[in-house]
Amino acid sequence: MHISRRNFVKLLGGSLAGFAVGGLGEALIKIPNAVVPILYKGPRIETWKITTCAKCPGHCGLRVRMIDDLPVQVFGNPLSPINAGGICPMGLTSIQNLYHPDRLTSPMRKVNGKFQKVSYHEAYGILSKALQDNSGEKTAFVAQAESDFMGRLIHDFTQSLKSEKVAIDRFGSKTVLPYRSAADDYPDFIDFSRCDLIINFGSQLTEISESPLFFSRAVNDLRSKRGSIVTFSPKLTPSAFKSKPWIPVLPEFYEDVALGLACVILNDGTYDKGFVQKNFNDFGSFRQLILEDYSPADVEKKTGVPSKDIIATAREFASATSPVAYFDESILQSSNGTRNAYAVLALNALRGFSGYGKLQTREIPGDDKTKSDAASASWNTSRLIGDADLKVLLIYRSNFIFNSPNSEDLRKAISNIPLVVSFSPFIDETTELANLIIPDHDDFEKFDAMSSTVTGAPVVSVQRPVVKPFYATTHTGDVLISLMHDLNLSKDLPYGNYVDYLRANLKPVYKHGKGMLMAQKKPTGLEKSLHEAGWQLTSYSDFDEFWDQMLKYGGWWDPFPKVEQFSPTLSLSASQLTGKGSASSEKKTHDADSLTLNIFSKNLDYKGNMLRNAALTEQFGVERDVYYDTWIEINPNTAKKLSVGDRTKVRVQTRRGSFVATAIHNPTVVPSNIDVPFGLGHKFTEKKYGINPIDYADYVFDEATGTPSLSETSVKIE
Amino acid sequence: MPKYGMMIDLNKCTSCQACVTACKLENNVQIVSEDDAQNGRAMFWMKMLTLEFDGDYPNIRPKALPRNCMQCDEPSCIKVCPVRATYKRPDGIVAQIYPQCIGCRYCMANCPYTVKVFNWDRQAQPVQMEKTYDPDVSVRPKGVVEKCTFCIQRLQKASEKAAVEHRKLEPGDYVPACVEVCPVDAITFGDLDDPKSEVTKASRDYRAFGLLEELGTVPKVRYLNAIE
């Protein structure tokens, strides 16, 4: 059936155009001025446009259904090698962000504690002057950039300001993981064509990972080939459903478990002797340390993981053809997060990293180009606290106040910074602390690009605007490039705006000459043979045509890349592995009768940015039949001891306060844990749903990266 | 005339809930108010259910499955509708005529799968919310029962397109939104009367089962059990 345009426009009323329209409830959508004439005159023609999702590190291809050039629905792009037509709830509902009534429609400046609209020129002028006066370490940049191209621009920008204070949160990036401080290289992908066992340390592979949709398919394929997954995690998440066995353990013990597995392999002598001799510096000391301190019995005593499980898993790992001990950024969510990662790297080294793969040639500009990542890895948002030198703080789409247990300290620190500039398209907990907001476009209104190697092939996905910007928003990339020009920050800057920057960075892909656009499925048979013989699968006469085709089809990839075994050289000291000699964690000891608060994330909102979206907020607790409110999950045996009934309201007490939530009995919950979901509890909106559990968590961080621990808080139920 | 059916492979399903979201958006299912949701009036045509748990902790697995209307071949809902607002089409789809529904909710009470939902209130959002609605689907008024229709509007569009192109409807021309978006192809859809169709092949798998089959409702949405 058709939308009744007449009724629609009648109800809309010309004078209301451009405003969030209420009257029947809370406005969940705003009709921009630009849309109203199309509603009147549109012939109701359906078209489709291809773009890329930037809601998580997955970079899934999207097909956007347009009616009269206005996006109405989003589906997955079947020709994207990453998602092959699939799409997740965040991607499906991304269109609601475009029409969201809370979107910022113009730059804002805080005057007397209240935001007022200002022109772009005024806002830009304030920022430009502040940066002119405060270069060097007086400026810091905090970003959540799912695009590695945007991430690199932010790096280049802060470096040209001569500041090392940059923190870029990019979940899928290997550069945020401590590979560089332990090895001389990092893997590009899990080689699923060979891999027959994954020992997974806490990653929610199919929900929140480098590429959830690609991993969903890959994990199913692995299982159908009789491969197996063993998951160590504090919660039986949907990702852990796919593993056998799931072994419950808190993240702070991943390190011990990994080294316990290593101990069994070393004892059995089943490790890759050739690899460790050649690639593991000071292997003898490592071997001695592990054999002395990490016997399965010792590990069981410390972690509670049965030694029979450790021995069985280690032997499975040793006998597998190409096993992988896998971790991602979630392994850092513990007071010893970085040491956890080192331990898993050491475990992988015992089998020569045989399940991982590396691209032989890298024509696409990738993460490895950002050498500055390693230098800046030492700076993170916690360093804002007590930094009296800081005069300008730039924030790009990161809501770190919502995600950090030390949010109150961060608030105070930010309030002492003379100029805080946010590029967020929405007001959130972090943006409301800014003095100046220069809102970025919505993802459907902007150009960007993302590169990925997670599929085992180099993929460059392109995001293009499917509609012209509705409001007076500005691409943050354009702002940064303008600043670099105006402040003479970078000599010979070869690009005038962000699109030029993207084009310049994608020239190597064009010159590469190989690969294909996302215009057809992976070639087989004759086409594959022709490609291997040197045929170019897609033809374009010049770079402009290549760029146009990239935009039309959503990206480029090389279906037949040259890959090799990942073979890094490891240098791990005893202090890196076991914490000996390093500063002790500030973790507080648990009371005998207390439980552990385990904060878990769902695939509907992994960074605290998506639950402004009505459909996702309603769906957040649907599988537990809890709506618009926080719940806790408790093991029925624990609940019985505490006399907590199923679906009763309880008060959850931590050192930082207490909150009321519905207790739900769930026999999969670790008996010593209270599980609580992360995502609800935003405070910047009028309607407040549930609580933010991180507000009640202890200030426990991974010291090296500043990643907050989500499962080391003592809790009591009242 | 085809007989449409669906098989959901629980071995492939990752409980990502994309089908839940896609169904909600494709069919313009109301996002109800906070109060209504907390009073058990949330409206989902497709919903993730956790039925029971297999095994003992820690070797325990929840039995979770996406559940939509079972599109029964012997639907108990149509037998009690006093105004014939719910009926079975020749292609097997159990459909609902919204203007005919008087909101007595007998069909809801008689559905053993509890898949039907009732519009207790007007849309809590302003009418302008329509911009993010699927323009092919009407929004149901207050006082009307609704449920999964196998995205019947997609069948209508696919049939019209096939007719314009002077051809018959091919397998794959028409799939519901949940089938289209599933990232792991866990949902198979097609003609159960076509012995060569994927859905028919899947329905013959030793893992196939239906919910509450003993009631004789003959559900056309069936499942493939997970392999342990």
Side-chain angles (χ1 to χ4, degrees):
Chain A
M1 287 184 206
H2 292 226
I3 287 181
S4 165
R5 194 178 306 278
R6 184 171 295 173
N7 286 342
F8 186 98
V9 173
K10 207 193 302 176
L11 282 161
L12 182 69
S15 61
L16 288 175
F19 293 89
V21 188
L24 296 170
E26 190 192 6
L28 294 185
I29 187 165
K30 181 156 67 175
I31 306 299
N33 286 327
V35 169
V36 177
I38 303 170
L39 286 172
Y40 274 108
K41 296 174 188 168
R44 203 181 173 283
I45 291 173
E46 179 186 270
T47 49
W48 294 82
K49 284 186 178 173
I50 303 291
T51 184
T52 301
C53 183
K55 294 285 174 282
C56 90
H59 311 158
C60 295
L62 298 181
R63 270 186 319 136
V64 185
R65 185 183 178 208
M66 317 281 291
I67 303 287
D68 297 340
D69 287 330
L70 290 172
V72 293
Q73 270 181 304
V74 183
F75 295 99
N77 176 8
L79 300 179
S80 164
I82 292 172
N83 57 319
I87 186 169
C88 78
M90 283 203 293
L92 277 164
T93 57
S94 53
I95 212 158
Q96 297 200 346
N97 282 2
L98 177 71
Y99 295 112
H100 201 289
D102 292 347
R103 272 190 68 187
L104 294 167
T105 56
S106 77
M108 312 278 271
R109 184 184 184 185
K110 200 179 265 177
V111 180
N112 297 328
K114 286 191 174 174
F115 281 114
Q116 291 179 357
K117 285 187 179 183
V118 291
S119 70
Y120 171 74
H121 291 292
E122 187 179 341
Y124 181 84
I126 295 167
L127 174 58
S128 175
K129 175 144 192 347
L131 291 176
Q132 208 161 22
D133 298 342
N134 297 290
S135 61
E137 297 298 317
K138 291 178 182 170
T139 300
F141 209 133
V142 179
Q144 188 192 324
E146 303 303 357
S147 155
D148 46 344
F149 292 87
M150 189 64 193
R152 189 143 10 94
L153 179 66
I154 290 169
H155 260 295
D156 293 348
F157 178 75
T158 42
Q159 285 217 321
S160 64
L161 284 169
K162 297 186 174 50
S163 172
E164 290 291 326
K165 294 175 181 173
V166 55
I168 298 185
D169 185 354
R170 200 163 66 244
F171 195 92
S173 167
K174 295 285 189 304
T175 53
V176 301
L177 297 174
Y179 276 100
R180 288 180 186 282
S181 44
D184 62 347
D185 202 359
Y186 58 87
D188 281 330
F189 58 95
I190 297 175
D191 192 346
F192 281 100
S193 63
R194 294 188 298 128
C195 175
D196 52 350
L197 170 69
I198 296 177
I199 297 187
N200 172 23
F201 288 89
S203 170
Q204 290 175 262
L205 283 167
T206 63
E207 306 155 85
I208 303 162
S209 62
E210 288 176 72
S211 190
L213 297 203
F214 173 74
F215 277 139
S216 296
R217 292 202 320 280
V219 162
N220 276 348
D221 288 348
L222 179 78
R223 293 169 73 237
S224 69
K225 288 189 298 184
R226 302 275 170 195
S228 56
I229 303 170
V230 178
T231 296
F232 293 95
S233 69
K235 182 166 178 63
L236 184 65
T237 60
S239 294
F241 294 174
K242 296 288 172 194
S243 55
K244 193 175 183 185
W246 163 64
I247 301 174
V249 62
L250 287 171
E252 58 189 298
F253 298 127
Y254 290 160
E255 170 192 2
D256 300 280
V257 171
L259 296 180
L261 296 172
C263 180
V264 175
I265 294 169
L266 288 170
N267 249 329
D268 291 352
T270 47
Y271 55 95
D272 185 340
K273 297 176 182 73
F275 181 88
V276 297
Q277 264 181 3
K278 193 177 158 197
N279 297 62
F280 202 145
N281 294 336
D282 202 11
F283 177 69
S285 308
F286 167 78
R287 188 171 188 274
Q288 191 185 351
L289 173 82
I290 302 307
L291 291 176
E292 277 175 9
D293 294 350
Y294 291 92
S295 71
D298 288 341
V299 173
E300 176 174 356
K301 207 170 163 188
K302 190 171 178 190
T303 66
V305 177
S307 53
K308 66 176 176 51
D309 286 346
I310 293 172
I311 294 168
T313 307
R315 291 189 172 149
E316 202 182 342
F317 188 72
S319 61
T321 311
S322 292
V324 159
Y326 184 76
F327 68 98
D328 60 22
E329 198 188 302
S330 61
I331 203 169
L332 302 175
Q333 291 164 349
S334 158
S335 55
N336 56 340
T338 302
R339 292 207 307 275
N340 282 339
Y342 291 146
V344 180
L345 281 175
L347 178 62
N348 269 312
L350 296 184
R351 288 302 320 275
F353 289 88
S354 56
Y356 280 113
K358 188 84 186 165
L359 293 175
Q360 261 184 19
T361 50
R362 180 186 280 279
E363 287 77 11
I364 59 168
D367 286 336
D368 57 349
K369 210 177 166 189
T370 53
K371 286 179 183 165
S372 50
D373 275 16
S376 63
S378 58
W379 196 86
N380 55 61
T381 50
S382 296
R383 304 288 177 95
L384 290 170
I385 300 163
D387 188 343
D389 295 338
L390 212 53
K391 303 295 178 208
V392 183
L393 174 64
L394 306 174
I395 304 162
Y396 174 70
R397 291 194 169 212
S398 171
N399 191 8
F400 60 92
I401 294 287
F402 186 74
N403 300 334
S404 305
N406 58 345
S407 56
E408 284 313 309
D409 293 341
L410 286 169
R411 274 176 200 275
K412 280 178 202 159
I414 290 176
S415 67
N416 293 328
I417 301 173
L419 183 65
V420 179
V421 183
S422 172
F423 298 103
S424 170
F426 289 94
I427 295 279
D428 55 30
E429 283 80 0
T430 311
T431 302
E432 68 183 355
L433 303 177
N435 312 101
L436 191 67
I437 309 172
I438 304 177
D440 193 12
H441 296 320
D442 182 78
D443 287 343
F444 287 120
E445 300 169 334
K446 66 189 280 193
F447 282 101
D448 216 329
M450 302 92 171
S451 69
S452 164
T453 57
V454 72
T455 60
V459 181
V460 178
S461 307
V462 177
Q463 189 182 60
R464 68 155 179 184
V466 297
V467 281
K468 286 181 182 169
F470 286 155
Y471 307 113
T473 52
T474 315
H475 196 306
T476 305
D478 288 342
V479 178
L480 300 184
I481 289 170
S482 290
L483 286 166
M484 286 165 92
H485 275 294
D486 293 350
L487 302 177
N488 290 321
L489 292 176
S490 191
K491 286 175 189 168
D492 305 324
L493 203 62
Y495 23 82
N497 56 34
Y498 191 69
V499 175
D500 287 350
Y501 166 79
L502 285 181
R503 284 168 60 99
N505 275 284
L506 290 175
K507 283 248 166 86
V509 181
Y510 165 70
K511 285 179 184 162
H512 178 214
K514 291 185 181 173
M516 56 184 273
L517 297 160
M518 292 180 193
Q520 64 177 90
K521 291 224 170 195
K522 183 174 179 174
T524 52
L526 179 63
E527 275 185 320
K528 185 180 176 187
S529 310
L530 288 170
H531 179 77
E532 283 166 351
W535 270 59
Q536 198 174 330
L537 291 170
T538 329
S539 65
Y540 20 79
S541 54
D542 55 20
F543 179 73
D544 287 335
E545 190 183 343
F546 173 71
W547 172 251
D548 289 343
Q549 300 269 314
M550 286 274 279
L551 296 182
K552 183 178 177 188
Y553 294 114
W556 166 97
W557 68 300
D558 184 353
F560 309 112
K562 286 182 180 165
V563 297
E564 60 189 9
Q565 164 81 46
F566 173 58
S567 188
T569 301
L570 248 67
S571 303
L572 285 165
S573 65
S575 64
Q576 277 177 303
L577 282 166
T578 65
K580 285 177 182 170
S582 67
S584 62
S585 166
E586 288 178 10
K587 189 192 156 197
K588 297 172 182 76
T589 50
H590 286 224
D591 299 336
D593 58 340
S594 69
L595 300 159
T596 300
L597 187 71
N598 175 43
I599 301 169
F600 67 94
S601 299
K602 290 165 62 81
N603 65 340
L604 305 183
D605 187 358
Y606 85 111
K607 283 286 181 191
N609 282 333
M610 284 302 285
L611 287 190
R612 62 169 62 88
N613 182 322
L616 290 183
T617 310
E618 191 197 31
Q619 196 180 324
F620 191 67
V622 65
E623 77 278 21
R624 297 279 174 258
D625 255 331
V626 180
Y627 299 97
Y628 299 100
D629 204 359
T630 298
W631 71 94
I632 61 160
E633 295 179 27
I634 184 169
N635 189 292
N637 292 332
T638 314
K640 198 175 171 186
K641 280 181 205 161
L642 298 170
S643 305
V644 172
D646 193 18
R647 295 194 169 270
T648 54
K649 293 272 185 190
V650 292
R651 180 165 290 279
V652 181
Q653 179 83 44
T654 72
R655 288 185 192 91
R656 294 183 63 196
S658 66
F659 62 90
V660 175
T662 305
I664 292 180
H665 289 190
N666 180 349
T668 70
V669 173
V670 178
S672 59
N673 284 3
I674 297 292
D675 292 349
V676 59
F678 165 76
L680 294 173
H682 283 288
K683 290 174 185 152
F684 59 86
T685 54
E686 271 182 34
K687 286 227 168 189
K688 293 174 177 54
Y689 303 122
I691 57 98
N692 180 9
I694 289 185
D695 287 346
Y696 299 88
D698 286 345
Y699 301 162
V700 183
F701 297 89
D702 172 40
E703 294 188 6
T705 61
T707 311
S709 168
L710 302 181
S711 54
E712 291 176 66
T713 301
S714 294
V715 66
K716 284 182 183 173
I717 302 289
E718 291 170 0
Chain B
M1 178 65 71
K3 187 165 89 174
Y4 291 109
M6 181 181 278
M7 293 297 294
I8 302 177
D9 188 343
L10 302 180
N11 199 46
K12 288 183 178 175
C13 176
T14 59
S15 308
C16 73
Q17 301 202 28
C19 51
V20 179
T21 317
C23 171
K24 186 108 188 168
L25 300 178
E26 169 81 21
N27 295 293
N28 302 333
V29 181
Q30 265 199 57
I31 297 171
V32 302
S33 68
E34 186 185 345
D35 287 344
D36 274 354
Q38 290 176 348
N39 286 330
R41 294 172 179 182
M43 299 175 74
F44 288 94
W45 289 7
M46 171 71 97
K47 197 172 176 183
M48 284 302 298
L49 292 187
T50 303
L51 296 179
E52 57 188 31
F53 297 89
D54 274 353
D56 294 319
Y57 177 87
N59 301 313
I60 190 168
R61 288 289 181 281
K63 270 197 167 179
L65 52 82
R67 183 225 51 191
N68 53 337
C69 171
M70 296 292 126
Q71 302 288 349
C72 308
D73 227 18
E74 295 293 334
S76 49
C77 55
I78 65 170
K79 293 172 187 162
V80 293
C81 179
V83 291
R84 308 225 169 160
T86 180
Y87 68 108
K88 195 175 93 175
R89 290 165 38 115
D91 55 16
I93 296 175
V94 181
Q96 189 96 1
I97 307 168
Y98 302 121
Q100 208 155 310
C101 177
I102 55 170
C104 67
R105 295 183 285 141
Y106 288 178
C107 56
M108 286 176 73
N110 218 35
C111 172
Y113 306 102
T114 64
V115 295
K116 292 200 157 191
V117 286
F118 185 65
N119 285 275
W120 284 95
D121 215 336
R122 287 179 72 183
Q123 187 89 2
Q125 286 77 51
V127 181
Q128 283 70 18
M129 182 74 185
E130 280 183 8
K131 203 60 224 170
T132 53
Y133 288 166
D134 178 355
D136 297 329
V137 182
S138 62
V139 176
R140 280 72 60 190
K142 180 179 174 179
V144 165
V145 173
E146 60 184 59
K147 66 160 194 75
C148 160
T149 61
F150 272 167
C151 294
I152 205 166
Q153 68 282 1
R154 289 181 164 226
L155 173 59
Q156 182 69 25
K157 274 179 80 174
S159 304
E160 286 169 8
K161 192 176 175 212
V164 168
E165 292 168 1
H166 303 293
R167 61 176 176 84
K168 284 186 176 176
L169 208 58
E170 300 284 335
D173 280 350
Y174 153 56
V175 291
C178 54
V179 181
E180 181 175 354
V181 302
C182 180
V184 289
D185 300 328
I187 313 178
T188 316
F189 181 80
D191 180 5
L192 287 168
D193 281 347
D194 177 1
K196 290 178 184 168
S197 71
E198 290 298 315
V199 71
T200 309
K201 286 178 194 165
S203 68
R204 290 181 190 144
D205 193 291
Y206 73 97
R207 294 184 288 133
F209 72 96
L211 295 178
L212 301 177
E213 282 183 303
E214 64 275 18
L215 298 179
T217 50
V218 195
K220 292 199 291 293
V221 175
R222 302 180 78 229
Y223 297 86
L224 293 175
N225 219 335
I227 303 169
E228 283 300 322

